[in-house]
Amino acid sequence: MKKKCLSLLLVGAMVLSLFAACGKKETPAAETTTDEETETETTEESTPAEATGVIGKAVSIASADPVSLTPLRATGNGKDVLNSIYEYLIDKDGFGGEAYGVIAKEWHWDGDDFIVEIYDYVHDQAGNHITADDVVFSYVTPQELGYANNKLYTYCSGVEALDEYTVVFHFLPERTDYFNGWLDMMTAQGIFSQAAWEASTDEMAQHPVGTGRYTCTEFVDGAYCVLQRYDDYWQTDETKIGRQYQANVDQITLKFITDPQQIVNALKTGEIDYNYAIAKEALPEFEASPDWSVAQCYDYKLFCAMPNCLEGLPFNDINLRAAFFYALNVDDIIAALGGEDFAKKVYTYGVSQAQSYNPAVETEDNYYTKTDLDLAKEYLEKSNYNGETIKIWYETGSYKEQLEAVALIAGVAFESLGIKYEILTKDSDIDSIWKQTNSDWDLVFFNMGGNGHVLDYTRGIFDTLEKEGCAGNENDPKLDELFQSTYCESGKSQENVDTFLQYITDQYYIYGLFQRITYDVYLADMISDTSVKTFRNWIIPGSFEYLR
Amino acid sequence: MKAGTNRMGKYILNRLLWMIFVLVGTAIVIFTIMYFIPKDIAKVLLGSSATQAELASLRERLGLNDPYIVQLLRYLKNVFTKFDLGKSYIYNVPVMQELLSRIPRTFFIGCSVILFDSLLGIPLGLMAGLNQNKWQDALCMVLALIFVSVPNFWLALQLVDIFAVKLHWLPAFGIGGIKYYIMPVFAAFVSGVATNARQMRSSLLDVTRADYITSARAKGVSERNVVLKHMLPNALIPVVTGLGVGLGKSIAGSVIIETVFTIPGVGMYLLTGINNADYPVVQGSIIILSFFSALVMLLLDIVYAQVDPRIKAQYSGRMHGVTK
């Protein structure tokens, strides 16, 4: 009997010990839909609304989980959260415009030195005055702590404070004229004060202190983040505040939802008011409802085809390259991806919303988007192709589905020309194939990301400073010369950009296929149709125009 | 009595020592698997625009250039002497810190699932076993068949559609009060109810035919006492084992439910780690999950030793002629 009691006791202890681990009570996620619902949510612990006082305009949006709000990791998931809290020295207008000063008042080059003067009245959300020493601290600390994303020493030999409000970045000579190099450096790191950093016990992971328009009042990793407008924002001159630094709403709740169907449900149940890139299948329901607005967005990722032009490989022959591109039916690719509502054919190696994109290229005559099988066969006749099997690679990363469709349709093109082929997959993280001279492949399909300029898509492909070499310009001095004279701060004129892009088109070195079209869904009576996102589709809820 | 207690103490100590071996073994296996995945972490972290110099520098800083054995020993030393599971490559947040904040959610779901599995599965199986070939048996087994056939992710989505989207009774996702856990727990426990009911029925039928039950009935013991004192304790042994295994499974297999309901638990953390090739996250999550699975198994074995008359006899010394 005693043993039975003991066994029951042990079972009870097991269950209790397991439940004891669940002791921490969660704070309910923010509810901003109705007063009644908010009241319901306040039963257990304080809600975000309670914690921050009376809320006027509030918006709730699905977002990626940043996991940590530390300023040391200013890129990757949760950029929309981090960009609302921290600010850069200089930022690029995310809507296709020019660079402008945020914390920086003025800047100029002095030889290889990039000198930045900051405003003398910047303070963070804890009231700490920001000086040049804080800027240096912001840049150097991530390097000292081993964070991967801050590339200070890729571009510079060092950074130092000249006086209380002047910082000098000592650029490496080869990076001084490097395309967008200085701007990359300026947008590599959000600025924070040394005092706030030293007062934090967790590298500001849970309790960030930035200089931005919003403060984080609540952050539950994996669940949600509540941002409250910071009324004592340091920049009082509205004319100096960029479009992505507006604070048009009092409170922003970002909910980290991972499942696409749950995002749709969250919209339907009023848990969120806005979502970027809604699932294709859910669109008709939202389009049919007067309660919702649906906005079409062009994705910044460019889907491409690149033949391997190395000596000794089949596509070293320009005629074979031409034969393939004239046989490839891009319209079939678009159809396979759901039609013109979901993918947009491109006419150059770049996306249409990028800076220096020339709309004049959008004709069938100057690009090989028009399928011409007879012409393809003529080129094949002229080529030295002698029956080799063409090895097609495509990446199996986030866009596997799209790239697989492209590879299959490329196979059809080869079949129509009587060319043997095999399709192979490659994990994009394991081996970024275009970065190295590699003879294991003949044709690769992949996607490239940009940062606002059409030349961004050439980085890592034709860029010999960044790479040891690549398939396209390995054997073509003219290509290399054109690239070098274009891909730099002093040479990025429209004329040079057009000449370079036309040259790689004429030589069939790389082929821009399409860009994705995605759809945002948001409450029609809450957010204006004119609300926009940055080039890279980062949601900046503070900058939306609110109707109520 | 003292000798029996000592034997039980040694048994527990023995199991605890084995648990250490299990954990070290798990750490070695998971580290080795991740090590040999042909993925360049530096490329994952720095992206496609990274230079060779940047990649080399990061590899050096992360210690990726060291030989396998050096990396393994360093990892084991950190895990088992400092309880340091490393930092996430992607977010630079200590894995242990993240896991500690997520474990309660995963455990809450896991324990709730087992609780409902027991409360519903055992009575259902009991009813079916005691009424073999009658309508109650058929009803219970049909219910069990339905429960076991429904995939939990599908059920989860249907529940969300009905109770969150259409009726607005429950939140569709996220964490907060207890109502946030109702649908996840329901979706997770349904198949376990079926398994337990079938297991209970099967064990009960085995026990019903045992000699000691016939003997008890022949001695005139009431049917109620036969069931409660003779049949149930013996029939429960495999069910208790199943519940322990079920707890381990529901904790380790929490990925689907946590993903569907956006619950930031260990399962979702593990999945994020896999998707991001964030090796410290994957390794740390697996070690922690194996630790809790081993712990549950240990507790279960202790309970089992008390419940099973054969094991109880062994550790009370009776089988070796040691008197109480």
Side-chain angles (χ1 to χ4, degrees):
Chain A
M1 187 63 192
K2 283 178 183 173
K3 292 288 173 63
K4 280 184 183 170
C5 290
L6 181 64
S7 67
L8 285 171
L9 201 68
L10 279 168
V11 172
M14 183 175 82
V15 173
L16 279 175
S17 65
L18 296 178
F19 272 103
C22 317
K24 190 185 168 192
K25 203 188 285 181
E26 306 289 357
T27 306
E31 296 285 343
T32 55
T33 46
T34 66
D35 291 341
E36 190 186 340
E37 281 174 11
T38 306
E39 198 177 319
T40 311
E41 291 303 313
T42 59
T43 51
E44 289 191 33
E45 282 184 9
S46 65
T47 61
E50 269 189 345
T52 55
V54 177
I55 302 306
K57 289 181 186 175
V59 67
S60 194
I61 284 171
S63 171
D65 181 9
V67 178
S68 161
L69 299 180
T70 180
L72 306 195
R73 187 188 57 84
T75 57
N77 273 359
K79 185 106 180 171
D80 36 7
V81 185
L82 295 166
N83 276 5
S84 298
I85 300 168
Y86 302 105
E87 293 176 309
Y88 300 126
L89 286 175
I90 299 167
D91 203 356
K92 180 159 52 179
D93 178 69
F95 309 94
E98 295 297 319
Y100 65 97
V102 183
I103 289 176
K105 185 180 173 186
E106 286 173 1
W107 58 92
H108 65 274
W109 283 99
D110 181 9
D112 291 340
D113 289 342
F114 187 71
I115 296 166
V116 180
E117 184 190 343
I118 66 170
Y119 289 104
D120 59 6
Y121 52 90
V122 184
H123 64 80
D124 67 15
Q125 293 154 355
N128 299 303
H129 184 55
I130 301 289
T131 65
D133 286 333
D134 291 313
V135 175
V136 173
F137 184 80
S138 301
Y139 272 89
V140 171
T141 303
Q143 296 293 322
E144 289 176 348
L145 295 179
Y147 280 76
N149 285 327
N150 181 324
K151 295 184 175 183
L152 176 65
Y153 297 120
T154 302
Y155 288 90
C156 303
S157 58
V159 55
E160 63 177 321
L162 278 187
D163 59 39
E164 196 172 4
Y165 300 109
T166 311
V167 185
V168 58
F169 291 85
H170 302 294
F171 270 70
L172 299 167
E174 67 271 23
R175 295 285 180 174
T176 305
D177 194 33
Y178 187 72
F179 176 74
N180 269 351
W182 68 274
L183 195 50
D184 283 351
M185 193 71 265
M186 294 300 102
T187 55
Q189 184 60 54
I191 304 302
F192 55 96
S193 74
Q194 187 171 354
W197 176 262
E198 287 169 354
S200 171
T201 54
D202 64 348
E203 297 185 355
M204 297 192 199
Q206 291 286 323
H207 305 287
V209 179
T211 63
R213 302 298 307 265
Y214 287 91
T215 56
C216 173
T217 56
E218 202 176 351
F219 172 56
V220 178
D221 171 21
Y224 59 87
C225 175
V226 182
L227 302 173
Q228 181 74 37
R229 180 159 59 191
Y230 179 57
D231 290 329
D232 193 24
Y233 180 57
W234 63 272
Q235 182 57 280
T236 49
D237 185 348
E238 288 287 334
T239 62
K240 289 176 177 162
I241 300 174
R243 271 200 288 176
Q244 64 249 56
Y245 289 94
Q246 298 297 312
N248 296 336
V249 67
D250 300 312
Q251 189 184 75
I252 302 165
T253 303
L254 298 133
K255 297 188 177 179
F256 312 133
I257 313 172
T258 46
D259 184 66
Q261 183 55 45
Q262 284 289 40
I263 290 176
V264 173
N265 291 335
L267 282 165
K268 288 180 185 172
T269 56
E271 292 262 3
I272 57 172
D273 308 311
Y274 179 106
N275 187 65
Y276 157 66
I278 201 80
K280 196 191 291 183
E281 300 75 25
L283 266 182
E285 192 177 344
F286 290 108
E287 282 173 330
S289 168
D291 298 336
W292 297 97
S293 291
V294 176
Q296 193 180 58
C297 305
Y298 293 119
D299 196 67
Y300 70 98
K301 283 191 183 296
L302 177 66
F303 288 78
C304 333
M306 186 169 81
N308 191 338
C309 305
L310 281 180
E311 209 164 343
L313 295 177
F315 278 126
N316 181 251
D317 184 340
I318 188 172
N319 289 313
L320 187 63
R321 299 201 293 268
F324 166 68
F325 285 134
Y326 278 112
L328 183 65
N329 192 329
V330 181
D331 291 328
D332 282 353
I333 294 173
I334 302 289
L337 298 174
E340 290 178 353
D341 288 340
F342 295 97
K344 181 177 183 280
K345 191 192 283 188
V346 297
Y347 291 85
T348 187
Y349 185 63
V351 299
S352 57
Q353 73 268 38
Q355 258 185 306
S356 293
Y357 173 83
N358 188 350
V361 299
E362 291 188 12
T363 71
E364 299 286 348
D365 296 335
N366 80 330
Y367 203 53
Y368 25 81
T369 49
K370 191 175 178 180
T371 308
D372 189 335
L373 204 51
D374 292 334
L375 190 56
K377 284 178 179 168
E378 276 180 35
Y379 277 115
L380 182 63
E381 283 289 313
K382 283 192 258 176
S383 76
N384 298 320
Y385 175 70
N386 55 7
E388 301 101 323
T389 299
I390 300 293
K391 283 173 278 188
I392 302 174
W393 277 14
Y394 71 88
E395 287 186 346
T396 55
S398 307
Y399 300 97
K400 182 189 172 211
E401 191 187 330
Q402 287 88 345
L403 292 168
E404 186 175 26
V406 174
L408 290 173
I409 289 164
V412 173
F414 283 123
E415 276 175 22
S416 65
L417 293 172
I419 293 174
K420 288 183 286 182
Y421 68 95
E422 60 180 324
I423 297 176
L424 306 161
T425 58
K426 204 73 181 170
D427 187 323
S428 55
D429 293 330
I430 293 176
D431 195 354
S432 297
I433 36 200
W434 64 85
K435 292 180 186 173
Q436 55 217 6
T437 51
N438 191 328
S439 55
D440 290 342
W441 56 280
D442 295 308
L443 180 65
V444 59
F445 298 108
F446 59 98
N447 72 77
M448 282 289 284
N451 200 23
H453 196 285
V454 76
L455 284 179
D456 290 332
Y457 298 96
T458 63
R459 186 174 189 169
I461 293 184
F462 301 104
D463 184 355
T464 48
L465 179 62
E466 292 279 354
K467 300 289 162 291
E468 295 297 322
C470 59
N473 53 350
E474 183 83 340
N475 313 308
D476 186 347
K478 187 179 176 188
L479 172 72
D480 209 41
E481 184 190 325
L482 275 174
F483 180 78
Q484 297 302 338
S485 60
T486 308
Y487 195 81
C488 57
E489 286 297 291
S490 56
K492 59 179 184 182
S493 65
Q494 188 66 52
E495 187 186 350
N496 282 358
V497 170
D498 290 345
T499 305
F500 172 72
L501 290 178
Q502 194 57 51
Y503 183 77
I504 60 173
T505 298
D506 294 341
Q507 295 297 314
Y508 310 97
Y509 279 138
I510 199 159
Y511 190 119
L513 297 169
F514 64 92
Q515 60 184 124
R516 288 189 318 150
I517 297 172
T518 60
Y519 293 87
D520 292 2
V521 173
Y522 47 93
L523 277 178
D525 65 344
M526 182 183 190
I527 298 165
S528 161
D529 286 341
T530 58
S531 290
V532 284
K533 296 177 300 180
T534 66
F535 167 81
R536 294 190 70 169
N537 292 323
W538 282 326
I539 299 167
I540 304 177
S543 299
F544 289 168
E545 290 175 30
Y546 291 89
L547 303 172
R548 58 175 163 94
Chain B
M1 178 67 190
K2 193 179 174 186
T5 311
N6 284 343
R7 279 170 187 273
M8 182 54 76
K10 279 182 186 171
Y11 174 73
I12 293 170
L13 191 67
N14 187 30
R15 291 304 314 269
L16 279 170
L17 285 172
W18 271 110
M19 204 171 130
I20 294 170
F21 282 112
V22 167
L23 288 178
V24 172
T26 306
I28 292 171
V29 169
I30 189 66
F31 182 89
T32 306
I33 290 171
M34 303 309 280
Y35 178 86
F36 285 106
I37 289 177
K39 210 160 196 168
D40 187 344
I41 297 304
K43 279 183 185 174
V44 175
L45 290 175
L46 295 179
S48 58
S49 63
T51 64
Q52 293 302 322
E54 286 166 358
L55 293 171
S57 164
L58 185 61
R59 285 187 201 113
E60 187 63 36
R61 202 167 64 212
L62 295 175
L64 300 174
N65 292 333
D66 294 335
Y68 161 74
I69 195 71
V70 173
Q71 289 189 48
L72 175 64
L73 291 175
R74 185 170 56 222
Y75 183 72
L76 293 177
K77 186 184 164 196
N78 287 339
V79 171
F80 293 104
T81 63
K82 301 176 187 168
F83 302 108
D84 177 10
L85 295 171
K87 279 186 169 185
S88 156
Y89 283 155
I90 307 291
Y91 303 108
N92 230 37
V93 175
V95 173
M96 185 62 96
Q97 178 189 314
E98 270 296 306
L99 285 171
L100 286 175
S101 71
R102 289 164 182 263
I103 284 169
R105 297 176 196 127
T106 301
F107 259 67
F108 182 76
I109 294 174
C111 294
S112 306
V113 165
I114 289 305
L115 189 71
F116 285 104
D117 279 353
S118 320
L119 290 178
L120 298 176
I122 292 173
L124 264 181
L126 201 60
M127 190 165 80
L130 292 175
N131 297 283
Q132 192 188 6
N133 299 329
K134 295 181 185 166
W135 67 268
Q136 294 96 325
D137 185 20
L139 178 70
C140 291
M141 287 305 98
V142 167
L143 277 176
L145 186 66
I146 293 169
F147 286 174
V148 84
S149 309
V150 176
N152 58 1
F153 68 88
W154 180 85
L155 179 64
L157 292 174
Q158 299 312 307
L159 290 172
V160 168
D161 199 39
I162 295 166
F163 294 103
V165 177
K166 290 195 168 68
L167 298 174
H168 297 276
W169 287 357
L170 294 168
F173 65 90
I175 53 172
I178 198 78
K179 66 180 181 180
Y180 284 82
Y181 290 96
I182 293 173
M183 286 195 291
V185 168
F186 187 83
F189 82 62
V190 159
S191 65
V193 167
T195 310
N196 282 328
R198 293 181 74 89
Q199 177 73 63
M200 185 69 211
R201 179 184 180 272
S202 168
S203 324
L204 199 71
L205 291 177
D206 284 346
V207 169
T208 306
R209 295 179 193 104
D211 292 343
Y212 58 87
I213 298 296
T214 312
S215 172
R217 281 182 177 137
K219 283 197 286 183
V221 178
S222 70
E223 189 60 23
R224 186 171 179 273
N225 279 347
V226 167
V227 171
L228 292 178
K229 291 188 175 173
H230 296 280
M231 287 167 71
L232 194 57
N234 287 290
L236 270 177
I237 293 168
V239 178
V240 169
T241 312
L243 284 172
V245 175
L247 179 60
K249 272 172 72 180
S250 61
I251 290 169
S254 56
V255 177
I256 296 171
I257 290 298
E258 288 179 3
T259 304
V260 171
F261 289 100
T262 316
I263 296 169
V266 179
M268 206 158 96
Y269 190 50
L270 174 62
L271 187 68
T272 310
I274 292 168
N275 288 339
N276 291 336
D278 201 343
Y279 292 176
V281 170
V282 178
Q283 290 160 348
S285 302
I286 298 284
I287 289 171
I288 289 294
L289 288 174
S290 69
F291 168 74
F292 282 108
S293 293
L295 190 68
V296 167
M297 287 301 147
L298 172 68
L299 290 172
L300 194 72
D301 281 349
I302 295 168
V303 172
Y304 202 68
Q306 293 299 320
V307 172
D308 190 330
R310 289 161 299 184
I311 301 176
K312 188 163 65 176
Q314 184 183 342
Y315 287 99
S316 66
R318 276 184 294 188
M319 283 179 76
H320 299 275
V322 180
T323 54
K324 278 185 169 182

